[in-house]
Amino acid sequence: MNPATTAVLFIEYQNDFVTEGGAQHSAVAEVMAQTDMLAHSRAVAEQARARGATILHAPIMFAPGYPEVPAEPYGILAGIVQAQAFRKDSWGAELAPDMTPVEGDIVIEGKRGLDCFASTNLDFILRQRGITDLAIAGFLTNCCVESTMRSAYERGYRVVTLTDCTATLSAAEQAASITKNFPMFSRPLDHGAFLAELAD
């Protein structure tokens, strides 16, 4: 894999997920610990960045009152509203200290739903930079990671899903995504295998 044409997309590494006290941290903490995803994600960010890959961060956030969400939300968006998570300008919506962007990283703005491509200029940025290979990490494994993976696959990117850099609400959901869904739309790799493929 050529770092010059490779990007790593880190989805929703925000305090509400990553940090103790975050609105939805307790829901993902168990799987985070099982996969050691935060440490692996930091390693990928640092090493991929050092080798010249593009590093992108895709936080999600909503205005006060969640006007971007239907008046009677259901599914995952209802859970976000109920938890009062990812509110713009709140501590919970901030990117967690362990995954703070550095100079040269790109923060994708405008994510309001599940698929990182849907309401952002992610595709434009990737194509402007000549990116052909996209590695995806983050939250939730079976929600935003999967939604973005499917869109990237259909847009013609060569997609890698970083299996030990993701987390969701239960071990069963994590396993189902990694073993059943990831292989349909990506090459699932753990962080070590990905970095081994990312040429210096």
Side-chain angles (χ1 to χ4, degrees), residues 78-153:
I80 289 173
V81 174
Q82 184 178 13
Q84 291 292 290
F86 307 114
R87 288 173 290 118
K88 186 178 181 180
D89 298 325
S90 71
W91 170 83
E94 293 175 4
L95 289 168
D98 284 334
M99 292 297 288
T100 300
V102 304
E103 185 176 355
D105 289 4
I106 299 169
V107 178
I108 302 297
E109 298 179 357
K111 187 176 187 298
R112 299 290 185 271
L114 314 182
D115 173 10
C116 287
F117 288 93
S119 58
T120 75
N121 61 350
L122 174 60
D123 191 59
F124 175 81
I125 290 171
L126 294 175
R127 296 193 189 282
Q128 287 294 305
R129 297 179 69 89
I131 299 299
T132 57
D133 294 81
L134 180 65
I136 304 172
F139 301 90
L140 296 167
T141 312
N142 55 337
C143 185
C144 294
V145 172
E146 273 203 22
S147 296
T148 304
M149 167 193 72
R150 291 167 187 252
S151 284
Y153 181 83

Side-chain angles (χ1 to χ4, degrees), residues 2-27:
N2 180 358
T5 56
T6 300
V8 185
L9 177 64
F10 294 101
I11 301 174
E12 295 174 11
Y13 284 75
Q14 294 160 268
N15 286 323
D16 273 337
F17 272 145
V18 173
T19 308
E20 188 171 353
Q24 295 192 320
H25 176 67
S26 62

